[in-house]
């Protein structure tokens, strides 16, 4: 199921601040025994609620889940769509963008999404999902094939 949403082009400064604060709070719960690289994420949905996530690593490294996907799963599991904005906080020199897997994962649920990234020094960078994931693979490609397998 693809739930399209037209994200508001801008959040208020207060909404942005709140979202970044929530992401930074979530970062404190990061389970990172291997990378020691904490990430916090917060997703604002159309209902006005905020869902947070942190990265959760695993001794089988590929089983690690990023903060952004934890936050997204939390919103989806609550039945709270569409996503309106994503904030990501990292402890890096430059604010870190969502990885490729997270971009793809988010694109399942939104057409576009404002992304606000910050580091712990307060450096902020803004982007959006469509620019970060051009020519995305979507369910539309699969739907084109419906019935062909019968
Ligand atoms: N990580 C995230 O949580 N989000 C990203 O978008 C990039 C990577 C996590 C996964 C792993 O726990 C650590 O950062 C190092 O890759």
């Amino acid at each position: 199921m693809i739930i399209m949403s037209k994200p508001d082009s801008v959040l208020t400064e207060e909404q942005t601040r709140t979202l970044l604060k929530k992401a930074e709070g979530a970062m404190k719960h990061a389970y990172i025994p291997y990378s020691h690289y904490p990430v916090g994420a917060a997703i604002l949905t159309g209902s006005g609620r905020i869902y947070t996530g942190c990265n959760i690593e695993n001794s089988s490294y590929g089983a690690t889940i990023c903060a952004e996907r934890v936050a997204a799963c939390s919103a989806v599991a609550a039945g709270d769509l569409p996503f309106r904005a994503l904030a990501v906080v990292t402890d890096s020199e430059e604010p870190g963008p969502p990885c490729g897997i997270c971009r793809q994962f988010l694109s399942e649920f939104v057409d576009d999404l404002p992304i606000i990234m910050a580091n712990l020094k307060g450096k902020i960078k803004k982007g959006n999902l469509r620019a970060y994931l051009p020519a995305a693979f979507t369910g539309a490609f699969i739907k084109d094939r419906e019935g062909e397998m019968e």
Side-chain angles (χ1 to χ4, degrees), residues 31-32 35 37-40 54-57 64-69 88 90 96-100 102:
Y31 176 75
I32 46 168
S35 73
Y37 178 74
V39 184
C54 59
N55 50 336
I56 305 171
E57 298 185 343
T64 291
I65 180 162
C66 294
E68 296 89 328
R69 274 177 288 146
V88 185
T90 51
C99 80
C102 289

Side-chain angles (χ1 to χ4, degrees), residues 69-150:
R69 274 177 288 146
V70 172
C73 285
S74 184
V76 174
D80 200 350
L81 293 158
F83 301 158
R84 267 193 67 202
L86 164 69
V88 185
V89 176
T90 51
D91 185 11
S92 47
E93 214 33 55
E94 287 299 314
C99 80
I101 297 174
C102 289
R103 294 176 197 196
Q104 176 65 30
F105 192 88
L106 292 162
S107 78
E108 181 72 21
F109 304 103
V110 279
D111 213 10
D112 198 5
L113 187 70
I115 304 174
I116 307 130
M117 295 144 282
N119 66 10
L120 290 176
K121 291 177 187 160
K123 184 165 186 182
I124 293 177
K125 204 172 161 179
K126 291 183 181 176
N128 66 287
L129 187 61
R130 220 188 258 186
Y132 282 5
L133 188 68
F137 180 80
T138 69
F141 291 100
I142 300 170
K143 285 200 184 88
D144 286 348
R145 295 179 58 85
E146 261 173 25
E148 280 183 29
M149 301 298 282
E150 285 156 24

